[in-house]
Amino acid sequence: MSFGRNSLPAIVTALLALFFGLFGTWLVTRVGYLAVPSAVGLPYGLPGLRVTPVGETPWLFLLTDVGAALVLVAVVASTRRGFWATWGVFVLGVALAGLLRAAVSAISAEAGLGAYAGYLGGGLVAGLLWGIALGWIAGLAALPRRRAERALQPDGHSPAGINSMG
């Protein structure tokens, strides 16, 4: 199998994170209801890949977002299964990213134990919801890889008799 077909879900995930890094604020200004979770301190959307902080947020938030985006891409790249498994791993990766981003927000707000737990719970729920909403895109990117695996016979040869595994 080719490199592009094997890594297509990770590439699509990186492009989604880049989109949220570059156009996330544009999206939230166009669709105002998306700003409601952020108003209560929950992480917004997918972690974004960007080079400068948003507005006057500290550099720690930028580094957290970039680190969380890289974790998301690495988690999606680790799966080698089809649509549903890739979608599930995407949801898991966004939930982990939401936990990481919520923990940094709670630490920077100097939250007490109850508020810290609230931040983490909210980050987990927000991550799960964003992962469910956008994970199908990464899942669709896994379909070409799945079709290529089905084209091979169990002995590793294609129906034409050509060994395409090596």
Side-chain angles (χ1 to χ4, degrees):
M1 284 187 264
S2 71
F3 171 75
R5 191 168 46 231
N6 287 333
S7 59
L8 191 57
I11 292 169
V12 167
T13 302
L15 289 174
L16 282 170
L18 184 64
F19 173 81
F20 271 87
L22 296 175
F23 302 110
T25 54
W26 173 83
L27 183 64
V28 91
T29 57
R30 297 292 181 249
V31 184
Y33 291 114
L34 293 177
V36 173
S38 299
V40 295
L42 300 179
Y44 164 72
L46 299 180
L49 288 173
R50 60 174 86 69
V51 294
T52 59
V54 175
E56 295 196 20
T57 58
W59 283 90
L60 179 63
F61 286 2
L62 169 74
L63 295 175
T64 302
D65 269 358
V66 170
L70 294 177
V71 165
L72 173 62
V73 171
V75 166
V76 170
S78 71
T79 187
R80 295 286 177 229
R81 303 236 184 249
F83 175 81
W84 293 108
T86 304
W87 192 346
V89 167
F90 186 91
V91 170
L92 176 69
V94 177
L96 289 173
L99 282 173
L100 178 63
R101 295 164 71 197
V104 170
S105 294
I107 290 170
S108 70
E110 298 177 4
L113 185 59
Y116 190 79
Y119 270 102
L120 290 180
L124 179 65
V125 169
L128 288 172
L129 291 175
W130 279 101
I132 290 169
L134 297 174
W136 62 273
I137 299 170
L140 286 177
L143 290 179
R145 175 178 60 213
R146 197 71 177 151
R147 276 195 216 112
E149 288 173 359
R150 287 184 186 159
L152 294 177
Q153 294 177 349
D155 61 355
H157 291 83
S158 69
I162 301 169
N163 184 359
S164 61
M165 293 296 283

